[in-house]
Amino acid sequence: MDRRDALKGAAAMALAMGTLGASAQEGVGPETVYELRTYHLNEGKQPLILARFRGKEREIFVRHGMHPVAYWVPTDEPLAGRTLIYLMRHKSRAAADASWKAFSSDPEWVAIKTESEKDGPFVKLHESTFMTLTDFSTAI
């Protein structure tokens, strides 16, 4: 099992245990997709990206129709201090594509990213996996 499989399994386990609360279930339909995003960060950038997510970034996601579900930081090496993992819910795969396109060109987001990364980019590699819930999963 590689690290990516382990991360997916950990996220799935947290979701299956219902740790995300009932309010996360709003807006779930037959075309709903979930996006697991893993950011492999440049050295020393984890505190900075976490601060940015605590700020306006999540509000901009929501404004563009994306629904942040949960965020994680690994506690074990080699990922500790160098990785951010989060799960987004989208109405559909097409909605996800449209939302990301709108988000990436949002003037407020562009300004926040430009200012926060003036000393160098936070993310050196990001991975994205789209998923649907199985028929035996708890709705989230």
Side-chain angles (χ1 to χ4, degrees):
M1 176 184 295
D2 67 15
R3 281 185 268 157
R4 186 167 169 81
D5 290 336
L7 292 171
K8 285 184 206 175
M13 181 181 296
L15 297 175
M17 293 173 62
T19 61
L20 302 176
S23 65
Q25 296 177 18
E26 296 172 17
V28 174
E31 293 185 24
T32 299
V33 295
Y34 298 86
E35 182 182 10
L36 181 66
R37 295 182 67 88
T38 303
Y39 289 177
H40 302 278
L41 306 170
N42 288 309
E43 193 64 38
K45 300 297 184 176
Q46 189 182 63
L48 299 172
I49 199 167
L50 294 177
R52 191 169 74 192
F53 270 83
R54 282 186 195 100
K56 297 269 187 182
E57 189 161 345
R58 289 173 299 135
E59 293 173 26
I60 301 170
F61 285 155
V62 172
R63 185 168 67 226
H64 290 290
M66 296 183 275
H67 302 279
V69 176
Y71 298 84
W72 296 270
V73 291
T75 57
D76 295 331
E77 293 297 339
L79 301 176
R82 299 172 186 83
T83 310
L84 171 64
I85 303 163
Y86 65 102
L87 187 69
M88 299 284 272
R89 187 181 74 231
H90 304 278
K91 290 181 182 180
S92 67
R93 181 59 191 264
D97 293 342
S99 293
W100 279 116
K101 183 176 181 182
F103 175 84
S104 65
S105 62
D106 182 290
E108 184 178 16
W109 162 244
V110 171
I112 289 168
K113 181 173 174 38
T114 300
E115 174 60 26
S116 64
E117 294 188 0
K118 65 185 175 204
D119 294 325
F122 294 169
V123 179
K124 64 180 168 184
L125 172 69
H126 85 271
E127 299 171 295
S128 177
T129 302
F130 284 91
M131 308 171 290
T132 58
L133 288 174
T134 61
D135 62 346
F136 54 87
S137 293
T138 303
I140 55 169

